[in-house]
Amino acid sequence: MTAEARTFAHTLRIYWEDTDAGGVVFYANYLKFFERARTEWLRSLGFAQEALRAETGAIFIVSETRVRYLRPARLDDQLTVTVDVQHAGQASMTVAQVAWRGDERLAEGDIRIGCVDAQSFRPRRIPEPLLKVMDGYMGRGT
């Protein structure tokens, strides 16, 4: 599986609520855009987050972020936000994400995500069906 084949892309539009007083996307909103793209990536793999919680008791939490802002996005821009799993362990993963406007890179981030029990918030193994799909997604499948 090539790098291009394992990169997921989600498209979104910039609305007034996403911008600051200067009409530029507020910096923290990129984290929301990244979250939406990861949610849609999981959904594309067949794992809606609420169903995953209800069926397995597992939820994902962000434990670390690093974001670099390169260019501003503005009202009405259409962005493409990509998801590329860099590392997947038994209970956590690291995801590289980029917000693009056409071929212009606007923001890039590395997000570390842990799997925890929804009740206790203690670390737990990523549910086996998702691990299997992720192994194939990352080109490690059997």
Side-chain angles (χ1 to χ4, degrees), residues 31 35 38 59-66 91-95 110-116 121 123:
L31 292 171
E35 177 76 28
R38 289 192 312 274
I59 61 172
F60 294 102
I61 60 166
V62 172
S63 61
E64 185 178 342
T65 63
R66 183 201 61 80
S92 69
M93 67 183 98
T94 303
V95 180
D110 294 311
I111 317 295
R112 184 170 167 79
I113 301 157
C115 186
V116 299
F121 279 80

Side-chain angles (χ1 to χ4, degrees), residues 88-91 125-136 140:
Q90 298 299 310
R125 183 180 169 93
I126 296 171
E128 192 64 35
L130 179 54
L131 276 176
K132 284 183 180 182
V133 170
M134 284 178 50
D135 277 348
R140 298 187 314 219

Side-chain angles (χ1 to χ4, degrees), residues 44-115:
S44 78
L45 296 177
F47 298 93
Q49 290 196 63
E50 179 56 22
L52 193 63
R53 184 203 57 77
E55 294 166 13
T56 69
I59 61 172
F60 294 102
I61 60 166
V62 172
S63 61
E64 185 178 342
T65 63
R66 183 201 61 80
V67 180
R68 183 169 176 232
Y69 304 95
L70 305 166
R71 302 221 183 280
R74 293 188 166 80
L75 180 66
D76 286 333
D77 282 351
Q78 183 169 313
L79 304 187
T80 300
V81 180
T82 58
V83 177
D84 187 9
V85 178
Q86 299 295 297
H87 174 266
Q90 298 299 310
S92 69
M93 67 183 98
T94 303
V95 180
Q97 295 194 255
V98 179
W100 300 88
R101 179 180 47 225
D103 62 355
E104 188 175 24
R105 186 182 286 247
L106 304 179
E108 57 191 17
D110 294 311
I111 317 295
R112 184 170 167 79
I113 301 157
C115 186

Side-chain angles (χ1 to χ4, degrees), residues 17-37:
E17 68 212 34
D18 300 319
T19 65
D20 61 17
V24 172
V25 169
F26 182 64
Y27 75 94
N29 285 337
Y30 287 95
L31 292 171
K32 293 192 318 186
F33 302 157
F34 290 167
E35 177 76 28
R36 289 177 196 161

